[in-house]
Amino acid sequence: LFISEYIEGSSSNKVIEIYNGTGSTVDLSLYELALYTNGAATPSTTLSLSGSLLNGDVYVVANSSANGTILALADTTSGVTNFNGDDAVSLMKNGVVIDAIGVIGEDPGSSWPVGTGDTVDNTLVRKSSVNAPSVSWNVNEWDVYDSDTTAYLGSHAFEGSGSTAEI
């Protein structure tokens, strides 16, 4: 499991998408998302996930005030998406960080650099060649799109064989 998409769009158009490329159905009750605001080392908000996520499927968490296009694709809504481009977000399993946007405990100023842009007012989509989560912020693992881009939301292109172990 890893974060496959991040939308930091206009107004409340905020989304985190999680992708399952493990080759198996995953029990989401072992996972949670956490938001670390303004360089905090501890989460300001967390969301415990629930249900199951089929191999090859995504789980979309949106801000409850996002636009209709986003809400139609959301599996749930949560305040964990109340981030700005300078806040870190992590995916945790059993309380241990396994994947992150940004660097937990660090305040980057206004945004995290990534690819050809940054995390403010942009949509980030994990490259299809990425087949595992990473606790280290890797700016080269993401494609950057304009603010409010939703064309990739609800699915994830994945070149992996589905053989990555569930982390």
Side-chain angles (χ1 to χ4, degrees):
L1 246 54
F2 57 81
I3 298 170
S4 54
E5 190 161 347
Y6 164 98
I7 298 177
E8 204 285 299
S10 62
S11 188
S12 296
N13 294 336
K14 317 282 187 189
V15 177
I16 294 291
E17 178 187 84
I18 300 166
Y19 175 72
N20 177 5
T22 65
S24 304
T25 298
V26 171
D27 176 6
L28 290 177
S29 69
L30 304 174
Y31 296 86
E32 61 186 355
L33 285 171
L35 170 63
Y36 306 79
T37 54
N38 302 321
T42 57
S44 58
T45 307
T46 59
L47 170 66
S48 296
L49 303 178
S50 62
S52 297
L53 185 59
L54 299 175
N55 179 57
D57 203 359
V58 296
Y59 190 83
V60 177
V61 180
N63 185 292
S64 62
S65 297
N67 68 34
T69 300
I70 290 171
L71 291 176
L73 295 168
D75 292 292
T76 193
T77 59
S78 171
V80 78
T81 59
N82 290 336
F83 48 77
N84 293 316
D86 65 346
D87 300 323
V89 178
S90 74
L91 175 64
M92 297 189 294
K93 181 178 183 185
N94 295 322
V96 176
V97 174
I98 61 168
D99 200 17
I101 301 275
V103 180
I104 297 165
E106 223 175 85
D107 188 343
S110 60
S111 66
W112 301 101
V114 60
T116 58
D118 58 40
T119 53
V120 170
D121 298 331
N122 283 308
T123 296
L124 309 181
V125 177
R126 207 82 175 251
K127 292 183 177 186
S128 61
S129 59
V130 175
N131 64 7
S134 175
V135 295
S136 299
W137 176 235
N138 185 338
V139 299
N140 298 313
E141 289 186 352
W142 301 90
D143 291 319
V144 181
Y145 298 94
D146 291 337
S147 178
D148 296 324
T149 298
T150 57
Y152 307 98
L153 189 61
S155 65
H156 181 66
F158 182 62
E159 295 174 9
S161 63
S163 61
T164 58
E166 179 188 342
I167 292 181

